[in-house]
Amino acid sequence: MIGLPGTDTMIKQAFADVYGKERSTKFFDRFLNEFVDERDFAFLKSLGVNSLRIPFNYKYFIDDQYPDRYKEEGFAYLDNIISLCEKYEIYAILDLHSVPGGQNPDWHADTSSGLPLFWEYGALRDSVIGLWGYIAHHYRNQPWVAAYDIVNEPSMVTNAEVFNEFYRKVIAEIRQFDVKHIIFIEGNHFTTDFSMLDPIDDPQVAYEFHFYPFVDEPAVLTHEMDRTRRKEIFAAAFQQLISIREKYKRPIWCGELGLVFEKEDIDFQVTIIEDMLDLCEENDVSWALWTYKDAATMGIVYPRAETPWRQLTEQIKQVWNQHKEQEKGEALVDYMAETYFQPISKEMRYPLQFRMRTLMQVICVEQNLKPFLQELPWEDAYQLPESFHWDQCETWDELATLIRKYTTI
């Protein structure tokens, strides 16, 4: 999302290896504090946005060496954003985007193993259960925090008892301190499969799914597919997801939808977003786009091409492409199996490619991130976060126009 290879932890370690731990900490503190400001919120308000899903890493609150002690550091960052939400009357939804061990095997869960180990160890889950109590106590009287999004995109959960027990315990922990705020529950398989989850007896619980239908049907992203056919595929996938509303008799929310935008294809891509948003509106489902701002990937706002951050990431892009990682991971797994063992099934390849990609990420950080940082003086590196300042960014106006079509109704 920010145009650098590796997980969040790997990237921060790379900065520490090149510039030293103290400077790395100083860099990312500036990055977080300056990523958005009042000008961003004024723009969000102009779009008609009424809620903002705020992702955060557990490591801002938990030191892996002392998991039973919760840090206040994370509140400094969240409070800053929530104060802007309050000023501009935009509700905040707190999204725990990564947990100890990883809730799914992908890079955005900040896992270094390619395994969702969070679901294998009760001690890891207990630390997050306690964390949500800590967070709920802090925000129990904050009316502009709308909801707690317990864990982003669980996946490869194999034990239904563990899955349900975690949600029961974390909800009970939150309700010790806060009985008012909404709690969002996400399903398995990157929150598209709710078959394991039992109903929760809590009037403030709602269910969240994410809508990326092109993951299973990549042809919908091509110009060759007729738009009518694309809408049919989208509608079938959407109806399956929203069936959880009837199953649980609870409100539902599409917490993520979006795609990677390309300048030469933006008009076509906006029609894809329009088809997805139409389904939300027609079925009375509230929605959130992923994401607001990044390094010209899925965000509606992104640094201009001439900014130092984009200059750095464009250089890196010549030797690394995140969107090719899965393809390469699968190819390497196949090569290993065919060369040293026997060919493997598609079902076996899928989980193994995540593990292969963690090895690839280690190599990519070492060969495709650190060398660029080593050539960049600290004084220049420290100025990189300025690239995300509002006056250094541009927007997808086509997407902004589309959003206003729905928010001004």
Side-chain angles (χ1 to χ4, degrees):
M1 300 300 294
I2 61 172
L4 304 180
T7 66
D8 185 56
T9 296
M10 290 178 184
I11 292 168
K12 288 176 177 174
Q13 186 59 53
F15 273 76
D17 290 346
V18 173
Y19 300 115
K21 184 176 180 180
E22 184 176 343
R23 282 179 169 176
S24 177
T25 299
K26 186 178 180 181
F27 174 91
F28 286 102
D29 180 68
R30 183 180 191 190
F31 180 86
L32 288 171
N33 281 318
E34 298 185 16
F35 189 75
V36 294
D37 61 24
E38 291 220 18
R39 294 167 293 182
D40 292 279
F41 273 80
F43 176 66
L44 284 165
K45 194 68 176 178
S46 78
L47 291 177
V49 168
N50 61 8
S51 65
L52 189 65
R53 184 168 176 257
I54 305 170
F56 63 97
N57 192 316
Y58 80 93
K59 291 186 177 182
Y60 292 110
F61 290 96
I62 298 175
D63 184 328
D64 286 323
Q65 300 306 313
Y66 306 99
D68 56 341
R69 307 177 195 172
Y70 300 115
K71 304 184 290 184
E72 292 194 11
E73 172 189 342
F75 288 132
Y77 300 119
L78 287 180
D79 286 351
N80 177 49
I81 298 297
I82 292 168
S83 68
L84 289 168
C85 286
E86 183 170 10
K87 180 174 181 178
Y88 285 86
E89 298 186 338
I90 296 172
Y91 286 103
I93 297 171
L94 306 185
D95 157 35
L96 185 54
H97 216 72
S98 65
V99 296
Q103 73 277 13
N104 69 54
D106 217 343
W107 65 272
H108 50 79
D110 198 21
T111 170
S112 59
S113 68
L115 293 168
L117 296 178
F118 181 73
W119 306 110
E120 300 299 319
Y121 298 98
L124 299 181
R125 297 191 296 278
D126 286 345
S127 67
V128 168
I129 290 166
L131 172 60
W132 271 117
Y134 183 65
I135 292 171
H137 181 269
H138 184 81
Y139 290 118
R140 64 193 184 280
N141 294 319
Q142 171 48 270
W144 288 100
V145 170
Y148 306 130
D149 187 350
I150 300 303
V151 58
N152 178 68
E153 295 190 343
S155 198
M156 294 188 185
V157 186
T158 58
N159 190 321
E161 183 178 350
V162 164
F163 207 17
N164 284 287
E165 181 186 55
F166 167 70
Y167 276 125
R168 286 195 298 269
K169 285 184 174 181
V170 77
I171 291 169
E173 180 70 16
I174 289 171
R175 293 307 184 216
Q176 288 190 71
F177 309 103
D178 182 348
V179 298
K180 295 178 291 187
H181 283 100
I182 297 167
I183 295 174
F184 279 114
I185 291 178
E186 298 195 28
N188 199 8
H189 194 54
F190 300 97
T191 198
T192 62
D193 178 0
F194 290 79
S195 59
M196 278 188 178
L197 291 175
D198 298 331
I200 295 288
D201 184 19
D202 185 304
Q204 288 294 87
V205 159
Y207 291 82
E208 175 185 342
F209 66 90
H210 294 172
F211 189 44
Y212 296 108
F214 45 80
V215 172
D216 293 326
E217 294 279 358
V220 298
L221 298 181
T222 64
H223 290 264
E224 289 72 28
M225 178 172 284
D226 177 75
R227 188 172 185 182
T228 300
R229 177 58 185 146
R230 184 175 77 210
K231 287 183 176 183
E232 291 172 350
I233 293 170
F234 283 4
F238 198 78
Q239 289 301 319
Q240 185 174 356
L241 288 168
I242 68 172
S243 66
I244 60 174
R245 179 160 50 193
E246 180 62 24
K247 175 182 178 180
Y248 296 111
K249 311 295 184 185
R250 302 301 306 150
I252 60 174
W253 179 49
C254 180
E256 286 189 22
L257 63 83
L259 48 78
V260 176
F261 297 109
E262 303 286 350
K263 189 170 185 178
E264 62 276 8
D265 222 17
I266 186 63
D267 291 332
F268 170 69
Q269 291 177 322
V270 166
T271 68
I272 295 175
I273 298 295
E274 183 177 33
D275 291 344
M276 291 194 280
L277 292 180
D278 280 347
L279 284 167
C280 291
E281 294 293 320
E282 291 164 5
N283 290 277
D284 195 25
V285 175
S286 295
W287 48 269
L289 289 177
W290 183 267
T291 182
Y292 168 65
K293 181 189 282 188
D294 64 11
T297 305
M298 297 178 74
I300 186 173
V301 177
Y302 52 94
R304 293 197 300 267
E306 66 269 20
T307 59
W309 190 283
R310 287 288 304 284
Q311 292 289 306
L312 172 64
T313 57
E314 288 300 318
Q315 284 183 284
I316 292 173
K317 193 182 291 185
Q318 302 305 310
V319 292
W320 169 81
N321 186 328
Q322 183 183 73
H323 305 292
K324 295 292 186 181
E325 273 192 2
Q326 180 171 345
E327 178 184 325
K328 291 179 178 179
E330 290 177 347
L332 285 169
V333 168
D334 280 341
Y335 174 80
M336 177 181 66
E338 292 168 6
T339 303
Y340 299 105
F341 305 99
Q342 298 291 327
I344 58 175
S345 67
K346 179 181 178 181
E347 290 72 26
M348 188 176 186
R349 181 194 303 116
Y350 177 73
L352 288 178
Q353 57 91 11
F354 286 108
R355 301 174 75 174
M356 181 63 73
R357 284 162 63 188
T358 61
L359 301 178
M360 293 165 56
Q361 288 157 5
V362 171
I363 296 170
C364 283
V365 167
E366 196 65 34
Q367 297 184 357
N368 300 333
L369 175 57
K370 282 187 182 180
F372 289 103
L373 297 180
Q374 289 163 349
E375 294 177 2
L376 191 66
W378 163 246
E379 293 75 18
D380 294 338
Y382 189 59
Q383 304 305 315
L384 285 172
E386 292 183 5
S387 298
F388 288 93
H389 290 183
W390 176 256
D391 58 2
Q392 299 298 310
C393 289
E394 57 186 319
T395 64
W396 291 116
D397 294 337
E398 300 86 348
L399 189 56
T401 299
L402 179 66
I403 291 170
R404 291 189 179 102
K405 167 187 165 182
Y406 299 99
T407 59
T408 55
I409 292 176

